[in-house]
Amino acid sequence: TLTCQVNGTGGTPSIEWVGPNSQPIVNGSGITVGDPVTVGNVTTSSLMFSAISLFDNGRYMCRNDLVFPSTATRTVRVNVPQPEIVFTSALAPVVGQPYQIDCSGTVPDSLSGNVTASWIDETGAVIASQQGIGSATAALSFNMLQLSDAGTYTCVVTVTSNLLNRPLRTSRSLNLTIEAISVDECAQGLDNCDVNAMCIDLPQGFQCICNSGFTADGTTCTGVSLDTPLLSNVVQSII
């Protein structure tokens, strides 16, 4: 409720309310101009809002025909409800695995309108975008995560509505960290080491080292094994 008081003598003033559109306000559309109430030399007029809305934003003027200054202004600022942004994912980000995280933007019923949810990378490029009415969900997805995919991704939710004089934008950032799970290729038989080589598991991959008496890169090993009997010994055993 806005109130306007006129303090003066010489009769009862005529009080008029003017809206943000510079037009006189009449009863209706959720706004009521109360009947003036005079007590002594003070006349009070009220402007009542049955349910405040974004349309009610602006400056209201009270003017009278009796005293100077003849006008007074009141400003109404209606807080705009912000969209809610929620991240959801069923999987943990693991290198070499598929991954998807959804960004859902939802606006309150009082601000129903078109919603656009978009994923943006660190370069400002739009990766994924989805539109809806009242809500929208955009998916940031990877067929196979690489360590280079780690970084900051931003979900931007944009709302357009007849209740707004310009689009409403809000955002939420995601710091994507990717877990690298160490696989023991040696224990699982996933290595390609030579039969005459030893497999050594490393944090990232494995290494093949030829056994003593063999030489090469480990995936192939050639040479004379120290466990092989000498030819002279073989001959002596035959004699």
Side-chain angles (χ1 to χ4, degrees), residues 71-209:
T71 62
T73 59
R74 299 289 186 272
T75 301
V76 174
R77 292 186 177 90
V78 181
N79 293 328
V80 179
Q82 296 296 311
E84 180 184 13
I85 299 179
V86 177
F87 292 156
T88 55
S89 179
L91 301 172
V94 178
V95 67
Q97 300 295 321
Y99 179 70
Q100 176 175 315
I101 183 167
D102 295 333
C103 170
S104 299
T106 305
V107 297
D109 294 338
S110 60
L111 190 63
S112 60
N114 295 321
V115 180
T116 302
S118 303
W119 278 107
I120 301 176
D121 65 12
E122 293 177 336
T123 68
V126 177
I127 304 172
S129 184
Q130 189 68 39
Q131 293 182 341
I133 298 177
S135 65
T137 300
L140 177 65
S141 58
F142 303 86
N143 292 330
M144 182 178 294
L145 273 177
Q146 305 296 325
L147 291 177
S148 58
D149 293 323
T152 301
Y153 297 84
T154 302
C155 179
V156 178
V157 174
T158 304
V159 181
T160 57
S161 171
N162 293 332
L163 300 176
L164 301 170
N165 54 14
R166 64 180 181 274
L168 173 65
R169 291 185 177 87
T170 188
S171 62
R172 181 181 174 187
S173 295
L174 166 73
N175 185 22
L176 180 62
T177 57
I178 301 173
E179 181 182 359
I181 296 180
S182 178
V183 177
D184 190 341
E185 292 87 354
C186 300
Q188 297 185 24
L190 301 177
D191 64 278
N192 61 344
C193 298
D194 189 86
V195 293
N196 292 308
M198 176 176 57
C199 179
I200 300 176
D201 182 56
L202 302 175
Q204 296 294 325
F206 59 93
Q207 182 180 9
C208 301
I209 299 179

Side-chain angles (χ1 to χ4, degrees), residues 34-50:
D35 295 331
V37 176
T38 301
V39 178
N41 294 329
V42 178
T43 300
T44 302
S45 177
S46 298
L47 185 65
M48 296 166 286
F49 300 84
S50 59

